[in-house]
Amino acid sequence: MKMSGLLNRRSQDLAGVVGTVRRIEPGTPVPKRLGAKDVAVLDLNRAPVETARALVEAEVAAVVHVPAPGEEMLPRAAFRTLAASTVPVIEDADLADVADGTRVRIDDGVIYSVKSEDELAGGREVGAATLLAEVDSAEKNYVESALAHLANATEFLSLEHPLLLDGEGLPEIDVDFTDRHVVVVTGDASSRAQLAELKPFIREYRPLLVGVDGGAELLRSTRVTADVVVATPTEVSDEVLTDGAVLVVPADRDGRAEGLEKITELGVGATTFPAAATARDMALLLAYHGGAEMIVVTGDDRGLENAFRPASAPSSTMVDTTVSSRLVHAHACATLYRSRGSGIGLALIVLAALVAVGAVVVARDAAQDLLLWAIETWNSFALWVQGLVH
C-alpha cells in the first residue's frame, strides 16, 4: 500500500474532524470554494453576519475564532448564527504559527497536524448553549464599558471644551499648519504597515509629519524626518529629540510634565502642552486648530469594535468628534490614493491609444479632417481626465 493511502486511512480512523486551514481576514469575502473539507480561521469579532451565514452554507468542517491578542468577545450576530448551526466552533486556540493550507485534525477543541499528529494548539469546542451564554455576557459587558467610557468622555468635555471648541490653551509652536495636509503617526502596532502604504501619498503631497510617542521612532526608523514630535521625552530616544523637529511635551492640566530634565540635558527646546488628553489627541488638536486642510492618522481605527476598549482613551472620543470634518484614517487615505493613481494610469494608457489612432488617421485622411478629429477627441479626453482627478 502507498504511504499516502496509509496516512489518509489513519486520519479517517482518528477521532474528530479533518480539514484544511483557510484564513479569512477581516473585510475579505468568504472564498467561494470553501466547503466541508475546510477549517475556517477568522476573528469573529470582526466578522459580519453575512460571513457566518456563508460559512454555515458552505458546511465547513469547523470554525476557529481567533480574536486579536487580549481582546474580549464582542456581541456580534455572527456568533448567534453559528450557535444556531451544526458547525463546530473552537475558541482559545492560538494558530498564529499555523500556515494557511495546513491540514489539521480537531478533536475536542484540540488542533493536531494531520501530517505529524503533533498538537498545534490547545483550544476548546463550545456548544450552542455555551456560545449563546458567552454572547449574552459579552453584550452586557459591552454596554457597561460603553456607559463608563462615555461618562469619562463627558467629564473630559466638561473640563476641556474651551480647548476642543476654540483651541484655548494650545501651545504656540513654530509650525504653520494652515491649508496643509498633515500625517499623524502613532506608535500603534498597525502604524508601520499603514505608513508604508502612505509613502506614495507622502511623496506627492509633502504633508507635515507629526510623530506621536513611538510613532516618532517609527518615522525615524523609516528615514523620514518628522516636522513635529509630540512625546514624553523619556519614552523616545535621544536621536528623536535632537533630529530638529519641533518638540511638544504632554503635561498634566496643572502643567507638570515628565522628562523635562532630559530635554535640558540634551540642550534642545521644547514646548509643554497642558491638557487632560493623550499625546495623539494633542497632535490632532494642534493640526486642526492650526488650520490643517486634512489630517491623516495612523493606528487602530476607532470603530465600534475598538471604541470602548479599556485601552481606548475617553478623550479620543471627543477629540475625534471635534476634528472629524478633516480627519481621515491612514488606510482609507492610502486606498483613495491608489484608486486615484490607477485612474491616472488608465488615462495615460488611453492617451497613448489616441496617439496611435492619430498616426493611422494621418496616413489615411487629409490634414483638415485630422485637425478636426484631434480637437474633438482631445476635448473629450480632457473632460474625462478632469472627472478622474476631481
Side-chain angles (χ1 to χ4, degrees):
M1 179 183 292
K2 292 183 178 179
M3 182 62 69
S4 59
L6 179 61
L7 289 174
N8 285 336
R9 191 180 71 179
R10 181 186 174 194
S11 298
Q12 292 171 359
D13 291 342
L14 293 173
V17 297
V18 175
T20 302
V21 169
R22 301 297 182 196
R23 294 186 180 276
I24 303 174
E25 299 300 325
T28 61
V30 174
K32 292 182 178 179
R33 294 185 179 181
L34 209 65
K37 295 182 180 180
D38 297 308
V39 173
V41 179
L42 71 162
D43 181 356
L44 290 172
N45 284 335
R46 301 290 183 276
V49 67
E50 292 78 13
T51 295
R53 288 172 182 159
L55 295 175
V56 172
E57 291 174 2
E59 298 180 340
V60 294
V63 170
V64 180
H65 168 46
V66 183
E71 187 172 76
E72 300 296 329
M73 176 185 282
L74 282 174
R76 298 298 298 258
F79 289 105
R80 297 189 185 279
T81 298
L82 290 169
S85 73
T86 58
V87 176
V89 177
I90 312 301
E91 294 181 346
D92 302 332
D94 183 4
L95 295 180
D97 297 328
V98 179
D100 194 64
T102 302
R103 292 273 292 166
V104 297
R105 180 176 64 86
I106 304 175
D107 181 28
D108 197 23
V110 181
I111 302 175
Y112 302 90
S113 166
V114 167
K115 184 177 181 180
S116 64
E117 279 301 320
D118 291 335
E119 181 178 324
L120 300 178
R124 62 189 182 91
E125 182 175 341
V126 290
T130 301
L131 190 55
L132 288 174
E134 289 180 352
V135 176
D136 289 340
S137 177
E139 185 176 89
K140 180 182 178 182
N141 293 337
Y142 181 73
V143 172
E144 289 177 351
S145 295
L147 291 173
H149 179 96
L150 293 173
N152 290 330
T154 302
E155 182 180 357
F156 170 79
L157 179 63
S158 70
L159 291 173
E160 299 288 9
H161 62 272
L163 171 63
L164 298 177
L165 294 174
D166 299 307
E168 289 187 14
L170 279 174
E172 293 185 5
I173 60 175
D174 190 20
V175 176
D176 187 7
F177 290 99
T178 307
D179 296 329
R180 293 291 302 273
H181 291 64
V182 178
V183 176
V184 176
V185 182
T186 69
D188 292 349
S190 55
S191 287
R192 182 174 293 276
Q194 292 167 8
L195 185 59
E197 290 181 334
L198 286 173
K199 279 188 176 180
F201 171 80
I202 292 172
R203 277 197 298 267
E204 179 170 345
Y205 285 93
R206 302 291 179 184
L208 289 171
L209 299 175
V210 182
V212 177
D213 293 328
E217 297 284 3
L218 175 57
L219 283 170
R220 192 173 192 281
S221 71
T222 56
R223 299 182 180 180
V224 178
T225 302
D227 297 288
V228 182
V229 169
V230 183
T232 300
T234 54
E235 299 298 320
V236 294
S237 65
D238 294 355
E239 290 76 15
V240 164
L241 298 174
T242 57
D243 261 354
V246 172
L247 300 179
V248 178
V249 179
D252 297 336
R253 296 188 79 241
D254 60 7
R256 290 179 298 179
E258 180 186 342
L260 291 181
E261 301 83 2
K262 185 176 181 180
I263 293 291
T264 303
E265 291 173 3
L266 293 172
V268 295
T271 303
T272 58
F273 189 163
T278 66
R280 167 195 180 273
D281 299 337
M282 292 177 179
L284 295 182
L285 290 171
L286 283 169
Y288 178 78
H289 287 297
E293 183 178 38
M294 182 173 78
I295 307 168
V296 180
V297 62
T298 71
D300 298 334
D301 68 78
R302 289 184 52 80
L304 280 177
E305 293 91 348
N306 297 318
F308 310 126
R309 300 289 184 193
S312 297
S315 64
S316 297
T317 297
M318 293 303 174
V319 171
D320 285 11
T321 302
T322 300
V323 307
S324 61
S325 61
R326 302 178 212 170
L327 186 63
V328 180
H329 190 268
H331 182 69
C333 178
T335 300
L336 289 172
Y337 187 84
R338 283 197 300 270
S339 299
R340 176 183 175 276
S342 299
I344 292 176
L346 180 59
L348 293 175
I349 293 172
V350 173
L351 178 59
L354 290 175
V355 171
V357 172
V360 174
V361 174
V362 169
R364 294 177 51 190
D365 297 328
Q368 186 176 2
D369 292 337
L370 170 62
L371 182 60
L372 291 173
W373 173 85
I375 293 173
E376 214 174 280
T377 305
W378 177 256
N379 287 338
S380 299
F381 173 74
L383 289 171
W384 182 68
V385 172
Q386 287 178 3
L388 283 176
V389 175
H390 299 292

